[in-house]
Amino acid sequence: MPEQPTTDEAFDAADLPGADAHPEPHTGPLGQTPSQTVGPFFGYALPYAGGPEVRAPWQPDAIRVHGTVRDGAGDPIPDAFVEIWGADAAGRPATARGSFARDPHGFAGFGRAAVDRDGHYSFTTVKPGAMRAGSAPYLLVTVFARGVLQHLFTRAYFGDEPEANAADPLLARVDAERRGTLIAEPDGERSYRFDLRLQGDGETVFLDYGTEV
Amino acid sequence: MHPPTTQPETTQRQISDEIAERQRRETDAAASAARPLAVHPRRDFAPYRSTTLRHPTHELVRADPEEIELVSPAFGHTDVAAEESDLTIQHAGEPLGERIIVTGRILDGDGRPVRNQLVEIWQANASGRYVHKRDQHPAPLDPNFTGVGRVITGDDGSYRITTIKPGAYPWKNHRNAWRPAHIHFSFFGSAFTQRLITQMYFPGDPLFALDPIYQSIVDPAARERLVAQYDHDVSEPEWAIGYRWDVVLTGPKSTWMEPEDADHA
């Protein structure tokens, strides 16, 4: 005699016809989730109050870092946004929870700024300290835009740190004629200009952290 | 019916041929070099016309991540209110459309959960219309739906959002171009180098084969990782349809070492 089927078996969706049509995810080594463009319509979603003010602009140690994002024709890109992530003046990353919060007396480390119609972005932050002996100070800069299928990383070093820059291992690896694209040049009191050129003449040096898989 | 008066000349057939040709070239190049297909989209994927002037032409320069690149901004529960994960309760009334739950886990390449980290989402409404002043698609806005949400992952790397299934969306890449329904997602990993912005799609969408953004990922297995799976255990009776979508953020470990000869490469 076959066993009596149990009548009150718990419902299990895996028993349904077709439930095995999709293989179980992640049975092998985990595959990276691919990138897609941020698209044109992030403007009502990603910018947030105080996003560009990593350090309150009235603070005596605040610096401005600003520039224009341009395409291969040299035209400003009006639908890009830029993120910066940098160490504090002593070269330490911010670790306090609350990176969206903007304490006017604090330093968030992370900032996000959408460009304006002329492709221009502007942050206030502090000039970071170097993180390693022999390295120059810099901000990590990330660019997103419609038409950019995977964000682009670069670094903004500081033009008034010529000795540190001359010794920096990353800058040393970059062709001399392109090195200037990684330098935010002083353009006024406590202000630095860092233009981003996605393609063409003066194309910014973009970086691969081993993430170009 | 109010179709736009000006339409691009390029046909879907031309775009589809370009997609097939590029994917064939990528597959051949990978095979002859005995390397896997790239996971991420090709930045110079010409069938997606907006890439033309927006992709770098120089090879990216390999960089050794320093401390700042090996950590991420410290988002937390003080940054995001719990109700921001429910896009259906942001207005006085209920939004129109099919209520859905999307849940999953954010993991690193070794399967470790990405804990207490920020997830941001944005999307079109059920009619395929974004709340954005430059969106000219003649489909109705929904006064009860904005389409923006945020959530902080749990200790197991999990996230869960309640929203409305977005509609397909027309765009002007070529004539009669439609984006498959998608939700935009923004992720931070445990290292800034794991930063990822991408789009989640819905299973079985007939527009996948036609869409140059989805097809810019030339590895079929990789692009299928952007498609959520229907999960009956996530669906809730009399309430919402459930989807599961897990996300993997890989990136260099702090142990990543520059090759000895890289300085002279």
Side-chain angles (χ1 to χ4, degrees), chain A residues 94-105:
Chain A
T95 55
R97 290 261 158 221
S99 289
F100 274 151
R102 288 294 183 254
D103 173 0
H105 301 283

Side-chain angles (χ1 to χ4, degrees), chain A residues 85-87 91-95 110 131 140 153, chain B residues 65-75 117 188-195 252-254:
Chain A
W85 175 226
R92 291 177 306 237
T95 55
F110 174 75
M131 279 169 294
L140 172 61
F153 286 127
Chain B
E66 295 192 15
E67 284 72 3
I68 194 71
E69 284 121 354
L70 294 169
V71 295
S72 256
F75 297 103
Q117 194 48 286
F188 292 81
S190 47
F192 205 96
T193 51
Q194 296 173 342
R195 185 87 175 86
K253 312 293 185 302
S254 50

